[in-house]
Amino acid sequence: MNIQWFPGHMAKTRRILAENLKMVDVVVELLDARIPASSKNPEIDGIVRNKPKIVVLNKADLADEKVSNEWSKWYNSQGYATIFIDSIKGTGIKQLKDKMRDVMKDKLERDRQKGRIFRPVRTMIVGIPNVGKSSLINKIAGKRSAVTGDRPGVTRNKQWINVNNEIQLLDTPGILWPKFEDETVGINLAVTGAIKDDIIDTVELTSILLERLSETYPEKIKERYKLESLQDKKGYELLEEAGKKRGCIISGGEVDLTRIAAIVLDEFRGGKIGRISLERPGDVSSLSTTE
Ligand SMILES: Nc1nc2c(ncn2[C@@H]2O[C@H](COP(=O)(O)OP(=O)(O)OP(=O)(O)O)[C@@H](O)[C@H]2O)c(=O)[nH]1
Ligand SMILES: [Mg+2]
């Protein structure tokens, strides 16, 4: 299943990021804790270049804690600290604010010594669509300044948000890159909601998801969809069985696959199947480092 999505507004976002970079002191790159490798845009480091960067793994509440611990260890082994965040509940926000101050400490001190007027630290938040950039900003600011939504492409332009006299945040639209070399990357992005559902065959996508989950989290999908046995079943058969159990039937008694696919995707994204990670450090052969 080969998914690609790079609409015109993302090319525009590239320009927005590049143009505003000179105004910012530090960049926060948001990754999805369920897919830390697939959600890393390989173009970001080239855009950000020599600005200090903090990497944050958002939606940590939806990821498998055991796998997230493996990721922590992996990042540490590469010499990088990571911050896991839940932008809805606010877990990890204090840690991020501390890190931002820490990164900026030397610069602020130099400014002070030179007698420059104290000004807030300007932070640009970047990441793939729907990863939670605007939600994170609202949580840091403690007010609902940025519009959020459970689909990709909600933020369409840059927006500065004043947090207090210490921090200013720049919200940016989500951005992907022109070509996913590995088809699994496209699938992971689509399953987690970074790609618009309208351009995807959701039945095929959900079949792939269920087949993968039958190997990695068999008990979770068995329980959620009352599946009898997963033995040797193809994703498509699992989807059909789930559809029957949920009463997604069209006239003639056939399973309404489109409907059950939408339900499964929605439940996965909402964490209703359980806390699930789709990637482990060991799975990914050519991981690029962050920061
Ligand atoms: N469970 C969970 N949901 C989150 C978290 N952060 C954001 N969300 C949800 O994810 C969806 C997307 O959030 P946004 O903040 O709009 O994402 P965005 O990165 O600004 O998206 P674009 O502007 O479209 O690029 C919303 O439904 C949020 O409620 C999180 O840490 N945990
Ligand atoms: Mg947004």
Side-chain angles (χ1 to χ4, degrees), residues 30 34 57-62 85-91 125-138 144 146-156 171-175 192-194 269-271:
L30 237 66
R34 296 166 296 177
L57 289 109
N58 194 41
K59 303 201 181 185
D61 56 307
L62 299 176
I85 284 191
D86 169 353
S87 290
I88 305 298
K89 291 214 184 75
T91 322
I125 316 285
V126 301
I128 60 166
N130 204 26
V131 69
K133 298 175 292 299
S134 303
S135 304
L136 173 67
I137 286 174
N138 288 341
R144 294 193 57 81
V147 181
T148 64
D150 62 355
R151 60 194 183 283
V154 171
T155 307
R156 282 304 173 99
D171 193 10
T172 65
I175 187 170
T192 50
R269 291 170 184 165

Side-chain angles (χ1 to χ4, degrees), residues 27-202:
V27 175
V28 170
E29 182 183 14
L30 237 66
L31 304 181
D32 186 319
R34 296 166 296 177
I35 50 165
S38 296
S39 59
K40 179 163 172 55
N41 183 336
E43 294 188 336
I44 292 289
D45 287 342
I47 296 173
V48 168
R49 282 180 313 217
N50 46 10
K51 292 280 171 181
K53 195 180 82 174
I54 302 170
V55 175
V56 164
L57 289 109
N58 194 41
K59 303 201 181 185
D61 56 307
L62 299 176
D64 180 339
E65 276 167 299
K66 255 175 66 192
V67 178
S68 292
N69 283 335
E70 289 174 25
W71 278 108
S72 273
K73 284 198 194 112
W74 183 84
Y75 281 112
N76 283 336
S77 74
Q78 305 289 312
Y80 304 114
T82 40
I83 306 177
F84 283 85
I85 284 191
D86 169 353
S87 290
I88 305 298
K89 291 214 184 75
T91 322
I93 298 287
K94 185 181 176 297
Q95 227 185 319
L96 173 60
K97 281 186 173 169
D98 289 348
K99 176 93 181 176
M100 274 160 63
R101 278 193 210 98
D102 205 40
V103 169
M104 286 307 296
K105 219 168 54 203
D106 293 345
K107 183 186 185 310
L108 292 175
E109 182 56 25
R110 277 198 308 275
D111 279 2
R112 203 183 60 78
Q113 279 172 4
K114 286 181 192 153
R116 287 202 192 125
I117 299 165
F118 177 84
R119 64 161 179 79
V121 174
R122 300 195 191 117
T123 307
M124 180 161 83
I125 316 285
V126 301
I128 60 166
N130 204 26
V131 69
K133 298 175 292 299
S134 303
S135 304
L136 173 67
I137 286 174
N138 288 341
K139 206 68 193 175
I140 296 174
K143 55 189 179 195
R144 294 193 57 81
S145 306
V147 181
T148 64
D150 62 355
R151 60 194 183 283
V154 171
T155 307
R156 282 304 173 99
N157 217 327
K158 60 164 188 176
Q159 184 189 359
W160 278 104
I161 284 141
N162 291 321
V163 176
N164 47 35
N165 56 11
E166 277 184 70
I167 303 174
Q168 281 177 341
L169 301 172
L170 180 60
D171 193 10
T172 65
I175 187 170
L176 293 167
W177 54 105
K179 191 170 186 327
F180 310 133
E181 297 294 343
D182 177 350
E183 71 163 347
T184 310
V185 171
I187 290 166
N188 287 343
L189 290 168
V191 165
T192 50
I195 292 174
K196 214 163 62 159
D197 282 339
D198 311 11
I199 66 143
I200 304 163
D201 179 341
T202 50

Side-chain angles (χ1 to χ4, degrees), residues 195-265:
I195 292 174
K196 214 163 62 159
D197 282 339
D198 311 11
I199 66 143
I200 304 163
D201 179 341
T202 50
V203 170
E204 190 183 351
L205 180 70
T206 313
S207 300
I208 294 171
L209 172 66
L210 285 178
E211 195 163 314
R212 271 168 66 182
L213 295 183
S214 74
E215 285 155 21
T216 48
Y217 296 92
E219 294 312 317
K220 287 195 159 84
I221 59 163
K222 252 167 120 172
E223 192 186 316
R224 184 78 199 170
Y225 299 106
K226 310 280 179 274
L227 304 173
E228 263 122 53
S229 147
L230 305 179
Q231 206 73 46
D232 296 326
K233 281 192 189 141
K234 292 267 165 247
Y236 180 82
E237 296 169 285
L238 297 170
L239 185 65
E240 205 168 28
E241 195 178 331
K244 276 189 198 137
K245 290 280 157 63
R246 288 292 180 91
C248 296
I249 307 292
I250 33 180
S251 56
E254 264 176 57
V255 175
D256 186 343
L257 291 172
T258 311
R259 207 168 115 220
I260 186 63
I263 291 172
V264 172
L265 274 181

